[in-house]
Amino acid sequence: MLMRNLAISFLLVFCSTLSATSQSIPPGMNGVPAWFSAWDFVCGTKFGTSPTTPVIFLYDDSAYYSTAPVAATDKRFNCPGPGGKTLEWYTGTHGGTLRIPDGQSVPLGLMSFAAADPAGHPFFVMAVPGFWEKAGVQSKELGLDKLVTAVFLHEFAHTRQQRGMGATVTAIEQKHPFKDPPLSDDIVQHTFSKDSAYAESWRKETGLFYQAAFHADKQAKKKLTCEALRMLHERQARYFTGDKQILRELDDIFLTMEGLGQFSGLYWLQHPSGGGFTYDNAVEGMRRKRNQWSQEEGLAMFLVLDQLEAKKWPRRVLSDEPETIVELLHSACGCP
């Protein structure tokens, strides 16, 4: 990490000008190359090389920074991006409205997400580090810089899922009307958050996955995981009926997508060459308020999976025809 950071610093100092409208790296991009360094570390040591580089759109309170042109008045600069590549960037003022890569215009606010344009090409949107600081975001467990890096890793991991599970979600959305609540990775939570019996069932199930994740005995870990999976299937069979039946598939998908995102941040945080936190503290930092269901349960499921099949699962999750975390845990634990 030290050598990579020194290399990034060298590139920042010597960012080149491209034309009369070019400029050196804008101050608003401070801290961003460290995100890409962290992502390259996760890919290099865990996920494998990413086959594509998404369009990246970053912003602060006055300007945007994009790897694709936004306006004819854009200024350009060269700076490091993911994959160890030096990319051409475009910047300009946004006036409080952000024109994101799929063509939509959205009001300025604190955002971090990955999506795909109408042609299926992935893109990524996030506020730069300084914007998070001005917004008053804090983390007593991780500190702001490492929290925001973990958030970046979570969301950037989704750019590698767009051709697989992301495309499946898009296909589902085209066939099923989702109005109240709208389709999102929190659709199950938004549908059942006021149902105390459902919430209690989910808490017990999620708790078992965390018990499994922190149990030292491998056979006991598998037994607890199988019990948690049994509860998951019973919950889905009981509540996802009638016009809610499509939630069975979406629940498995979003547990996989959000679980992978959480694991991406966790993996970097707990690695000695990454965030340098202890495993337990990194888990606590990623769980934070524990109030986002798909993230909370999905993380626990990936913790178990990684302990059982650390080398096998990334290619099975990140392929264009991915397996869900539910399928992978059944296979890893030999559940009936």
Side-chain angles (χ1 to χ4, degrees):
M1 285 293 289
L2 178 59
M3 291 301 294
R4 178 173 289 278
N5 288 337
L6 288 174
I8 288 173
S9 297
F10 180 87
L11 285 168
L12 292 180
V13 171
F14 289 96
C15 286
S16 62
T17 57
L18 300 174
S19 69
T21 60
S22 298
Q23 64 176 48
S24 60
I25 183 171
M29 287 280 285
N30 288 344
V32 170
W35 289 353
F36 300 135
S37 178
W39 174 248
D40 290 345
F41 175 79
V42 173
C43 289
T45 60
K46 192 67 180 179
F47 291 166
T49 304
S50 179
T52 59
T53 299
V55 171
I56 302 167
F57 183 92
L58 310 177
Y59 62 92
D60 57 25
D61 54 2
S62 61
Y64 58 80
Y65 316 98
S66 175
T67 58
V70 177
T73 55
D74 285 344
K75 295 181 179 180
R76 295 181 291 171
F77 60 96
N78 269 7
C79 246
K85 303 174 184 176
T86 296
L87 304 178
E88 183 174 66
W89 291 76
Y90 302 81
T91 183
T93 57
H94 54 61
T97 300
L98 306 173
R99 184 183 172 193
I100 60 177
D102 65 355
Q104 295 187 66
S105 293
V106 296
L108 181 68
L110 188 63
M111 293 182 290
S112 177
F113 67 90
D117 65 20
H121 301 132
F123 67 88
F124 174 79
V125 177
M126 186 165 173
V128 298
F131 194 96
W132 290 77
E133 184 176 8
K134 287 184 179 180
V137 177
Q138 299 177 352
S139 171
K140 65 179 182 180
E141 299 90 356
L142 304 177
L144 180 60
D145 287 347
K146 289 181 178 177
L147 168 67
V148 177
T149 300
V151 171
F152 165 80
L153 292 170
H154 174 120
E155 297 299 338
F156 210 73
H158 294 329
T159 66
R160 291 195 59 174
Q161 296 178 295
Q162 290 303 317
R163 295 195 306 180
M165 289 188 173
T168 300
V169 173
T170 298
I172 291 173
E173 188 173 21
Q174 291 171 347
K175 295 179 181 179
H176 298 267
F178 296 97
K179 295 181 179 180
D180 186 23
L183 181 59
S184 75
D185 52 19
D186 295 317
I187 189 170
V188 172
Q189 182 171 354
H190 290 161
T191 302
F192 293 102
S193 60
K194 296 181 180 179
D195 187 324
S196 59
Y198 182 99
E200 180 63 19
S201 176
W202 172 83
R203 278 191 290 269
K204 290 181 179 179
E205 169 191 318
T206 301
L208 276 180
F209 280 123
Y210 276 105
Q211 286 183 45
F214 284 93
H215 205 294
D217 181 78
K218 186 175 181 179
Q219 291 307 312
K221 185 186 299 290
K222 290 183 176 182
K223 183 177 180 181
L224 286 166
T225 300
C226 289
E227 176 62 15
L229 288 170
R230 182 190 63 78
M231 294 179 67
L232 181 150
H233 290 306
E234 288 181 353
R235 169 177 59 81
Q236 292 179 340
R238 178 179 179 184
Y239 289 97
F240 299 166
T241 59
D243 61 353
K244 295 182 177 64
Q245 190 169 354
I246 190 60
L247 294 181
R248 295 191 187 193
E249 184 175 4
L250 288 173
D251 195 25
D252 287 0
I253 288 173
F254 289 133
L255 285 172
T256 307
M257 295 187 74
E258 293 306 297
L260 178 73
Q262 289 293 86
F263 181 84
S264 300
L266 176 281
Y267 179 79
W268 178 81
L269 286 171
Q270 58 82 44
H271 202 286
S273 297
F277 289 93
T278 66
Y279 188 85
D280 289 2
N281 287 345
V283 171
E284 285 302 310
M286 290 305 300
R287 294 180 74 181
R288 300 199 77 202
K289 298 179 181 179
R290 310 185 183 189
N291 61 349
Q292 293 180 276
W293 290 2
S294 57
Q295 292 187 13
E296 172 73 354
E297 185 169 16
L299 174 60
M301 297 170 82
F302 269 90
L303 294 180
V304 175
L305 180 63
D306 193 61
Q307 292 161 13
L308 296 176
E309 295 191 342
K311 295 182 179 180
K312 295 180 180 180
W313 68 261
R315 62 179 176 78
R316 298 170 70 182
V317 170
L318 294 170
S319 74
D320 288 353
E321 296 182 358
E323 297 174 68
T324 69
I325 183 62
V326 175
E327 293 169 327
L328 290 168
L329 283 177
H330 267 289
S331 176
C333 296
C335 304

